[in-house]
Amino acid sequence: MEVTWWGHATCTVEDSGVRLLTDPLFARRLAHLRRRRGAAPPPEAAVADAVLVSHLHADHLHLPSLARVAPGTRLIVPRGAPGAVPGLRRLAAHGLRLCEVEPGDELAVGAVTVRAVPALHDGRRLPVGPHRSPALGYVLEGEARTYFAGDTGLFDGMAEAVGPVDVALLPVGGWGPHLGHGHLDAGRAAQALAALSPAAAVPVHYGTYWPIGMDAVRPHEFHAPGDEFVRHARRLAPKVTVHRLGHGERVRPEVAR
């Protein structure tokens, strides 16, 4: 089992001969955001057996990035997403295989079972989209059980909803100087880690994009969340091995099954 972090919430999880890609965002610029760290992911980042989209925000469901995925690839999205984002139907017409899911749904991608789990986050297509689709996390079960949280805040029953996992890919920051409701900062992510109690964790969703013209506004929030998460995790979940990856770096976490 291997995890590659390409930046933001974009990861490749390889398990049991299956390659899964999360929330692909390959752009150097998205609206008012500019990629500040890490080169744009290489073409190999778009190679996957299935793509998992956690929610409809444009930095997680990015249509130009999804268009780079090969026809025939399964695209797993929150239920109702094609109605809220018509561009998904165009992608389906060009060969991506759309599959809509909601919490509790399971499907097989080769030898890996993908289970959708709840997330505490605004799942709308912003800025004015209706509440049609839930925000999701995913648990990927092959040789290891890997939890990709997407975007989420802490919520009651989180550990029970997710279930036992070996590796947790947790958001620890964001793309601006303030995190709103429904997000994890480094400290809250460490609390989630303590509740989930995996063998290993990888912090994601930080240190990649930042608003143009705001380089001097709370730069600590851009640079520091990964190290802060390591520090908080050492205190709250000392038995968990935290892998703080660089952009494009990969790791094979040691998990005991």
Side-chain angles (χ1 to χ4, degrees), residues 77-173:
V77 299
R79 189 167 301 282
V85 187
L88 285 172
R89 294 197 180 101
R90 292 193 292 273
L91 291 175
H94 286 86
L96 291 187
R97 299 160 52 203
L98 275 181
C99 181
E100 301 177 53
V101 295
E102 59 189 13
D105 287 348
E106 293 186 1
L107 52 87
V109 181
V112 174
T113 298
V114 176
R115 175 167 55 92
V117 298
L120 178 62
H121 194 67
D122 185 344
R124 293 177 297 169
R125 186 67 163 181
L126 297 177
V128 294
H131 283 282
R132 288 183 177 173
S133 299
L136 302 174
Y138 294 96
V139 175
L140 320 174
E141 184 163 2
E143 294 181 11
R145 293 167 298 208
T146 303
Y147 170 46
F148 169 64
D151 251 357
T152 188
L154 283 170
F155 58 90
D156 291 340
M158 184 179 194
E160 291 77 10
V162 172
V165 291
D166 302 299
V167 181
L169 312 181
L170 293 177
V172 302

Side-chain angles (χ1 to χ4, degrees), residues 8-9 23 53-57 59-60 117-123 126 134-138 147-155 158 169-175 179-185 204-206:
H8 202 53
D23 287 352
V53 172
S54 64
H55 62 288
L56 307 191
H57 293 176
D59 59 323
H60 292 257
V117 298
L120 178 62
H121 194 67
D122 185 344
L126 297 177
L136 302 174
Y138 294 96
Y147 170 46
F148 169 64
D151 251 357
T152 188
L154 283 170
F155 58 90
M158 184 179 194
L169 312 181
L170 293 177
V172 302
W175 50 253
L179 284 174
H181 177 70
H183 292 86
L184 295 177
D185 62 11
V204 302
H205 203 276
Y206 77 100

